[in-house]
């Protein structure tokens, strides 16, 4: 990867971080109108269908091997179903600021998992960074919580689970995209993962969707922006970066979401 293309990649990633920083607030708004699991299932399915259309136009569909199927299946389970389920329920029970603070731990979890699973080098600087990140985020959440330990035990812990699930998915994505197009991997992940979200929605939210006519037009615009821009296009760029520069280095840029949310 030459210097010019690397800079273009970082600029695109910066744009993705802007969208993801805004997306935390967008999801916080959406869960006020639609049950969390139902909202995430439809949002992710739409993102998957958008990518499927792009893949079809570009003629990028191809047969995948059994090993690739396993990697994509685990990436779908962790990075789509588990991550977005925990994210939606977590944001429904915490603040957008707390959510962004916890999202900033993604690079920490990714570095640890890359060390354990991919054999990435673990330096003294990484160790100091991991300890500092955990300490800082825990201190800010506890000190800034308005609702006390109950809030920390519900929404914030669900956000931590969402972060861990996403970090784990980066490892599987790195393996899957070693010889597959990131767009193809991302599209399949979203469609498969959304099916899992629909299942949880049926189990956890039997009341279903509210009357669609009662949802304001502005909320629908937020839904489309979150699904198409932040999720479909954003994850495509992000997964391409995982393929090019690695899971740990790409995940570090997620910390920008924290500053954008502040």
């Amino acid at each position: 990867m030459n210097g010019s293309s690397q800079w273009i990649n970082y600029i695109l990633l910066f744009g993705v971080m802007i969208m993801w920083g805004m997306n935390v607030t967008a999801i916080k708004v959406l869960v006020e109108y639609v049950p969390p699991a139902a909202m995430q299932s439809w949002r992710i399915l739409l993102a998957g269908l958008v990518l499927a259309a792009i893949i079809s136009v570009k003629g990028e569909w191809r047969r995948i091997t059994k090993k690739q199927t396993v990697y994509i299946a685990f990436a779908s389970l962790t990075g789509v179903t588990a991550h977005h389920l925990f994210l939606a329920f977590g944001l429904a029970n915490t603040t957008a600021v707390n959510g962004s603070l916890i999202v900033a731990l993604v690079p920490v979890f990714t570095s640890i998992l890359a060390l354990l699973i991919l054999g990435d080098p673990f330096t003294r600087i990484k160790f100091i960074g991991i300890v500092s990140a955990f300490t800082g985020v825990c201190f800010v959440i506890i000190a800034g919580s308005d609702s006390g330990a109950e809030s920390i035990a519900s929404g914030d812990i669900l956000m931590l689970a969402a972060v861990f699930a996403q970090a784990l998915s980066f490892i599987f994505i790195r393996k899957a995209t070693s010889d597959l197009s990131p767009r193809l991997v991302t599209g399949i992940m979203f469609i498969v993962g959304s099916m899992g979200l629909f299942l949880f929605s049926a189990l956890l939210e039997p009341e279903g969707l509210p009357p669609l006519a009662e949802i304001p037009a502005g909320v629908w615009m937020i839904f489309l922006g979150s699904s198409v821009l932040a999720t479909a296009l954003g994850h495509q760029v992000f997964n391409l970066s995982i393929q090019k520069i690695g899971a740990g280095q790409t995940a570090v840029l997620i910390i920008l979401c924290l500053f954008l949310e502040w």
Side-chain angles (χ1 to χ4, degrees):
M1 191 173 181
N2 59 46
S4 176
S5 61
Q6 188 173 34
W7 273 109
I8 293 174
N9 187 69
Y10 282 124
I11 291 171
L12 289 173
L13 273 175
F14 182 76
V16 170
M17 292 306 102
I18 292 175
M19 288 192 294
W20 283 7
M22 297 170 62
N23 196 44
V24 173
T25 302
I27 294 175
K28 179 67 176 175
V29 172
L30 292 172
V31 295
E32 294 177 359
Y33 290 89
V34 182
M39 182 275 296
Q40 290 288 61
S41 59
W42 285 104
R43 192 176 68 86
I44 300 303
L45 177 60
L46 177 59
L49 293 176
V50 169
L51 287 177
I54 296 174
I55 293 167
S56 298
V57 169
K58 290 182 170 291
E60 294 177 345
W61 292 108
R62 55 168 290 187
R63 185 182 298 275
I64 59 177
T65 66
K66 290 183 179 179
K67 181 182 291 187
Q68 292 164 344
T69 300
V70 171
Y71 290 148
I72 293 174
F74 278 107
S76 302
L77 177 64
T78 56
V80 180
T81 303
H83 169 68
H84 288 284
L85 189 68
F86 290 139
L87 181 68
F89 281 102
L91 284 173
N93 293 280
T94 190
T95 65
V97 173
N98 270 23
S100 292
L101 280 167
I102 296 171
V103 164
L105 289 175
V106 168
V108 174
F109 283 113
T110 304
S111 295
I112 295 172
L113 292 172
L115 166 71
L116 297 175
I117 299 175
L118 299 179
D120 282 7
F122 192 70
T123 64
R124 183 179 301 176
I125 296 298
K126 282 187 178 181
F127 175 77
I128 294 173
I130 288 172
V131 173
S132 299
F134 270 118
T135 303
V137 170
C138 290
F139 175 78
V140 173
I141 290 175
I142 293 172
S145 177
D146 294 327
S147 34
E150 183 179 350
S151 174
I152 296 172
S154 56
D156 295 332
I157 286 181
L158 287 172
M159 288 297 300
L160 281 172
V163 165
F164 178 79
Q166 186 176 46
L168 184 59
S169 76
F170 292 161
I171 306 302
F172 295 118
I173 290 169
R174 179 69 181 89
K175 291 179 175 293
T177 57
S178 61
D179 49 7
L180 281 177
S181 159
R183 179 163 41 231
L184 177 61
V185 171
T186 308
I188 296 174
M189 279 177 55
F190 284 163
I191 293 174
V192 173
S194 68
M195 297 300 105
L197 287 169
F198 275 113
L199 176 61
F200 278 103
S201 175
L203 294 174
L204 300 175
E205 301 161 347
E207 69 277 8
L209 293 172
L212 300 184
E214 295 181 2
I215 300 176
V219 175
W220 283 111
M221 295 302 295
I222 293 173
F223 175 83
L224 290 174
S226 174
S227 179
V228 177
L229 298 178
T231 303
L233 301 183
H235 277 275
Q236 178 185 317
V237 172
F238 194 85
N239 291 348
L240 177 62
S241 297
I242 290 177
Q243 181 192 53
K244 290 183 176 180
I245 64 178
Q249 189 172 347
T250 301
V252 167
L253 292 176
I254 290 182
I255 202 168
L256 284 174
C257 292
L258 170 64
F259 299 110
L260 290 167
E261 193 61 41
W262 278 355

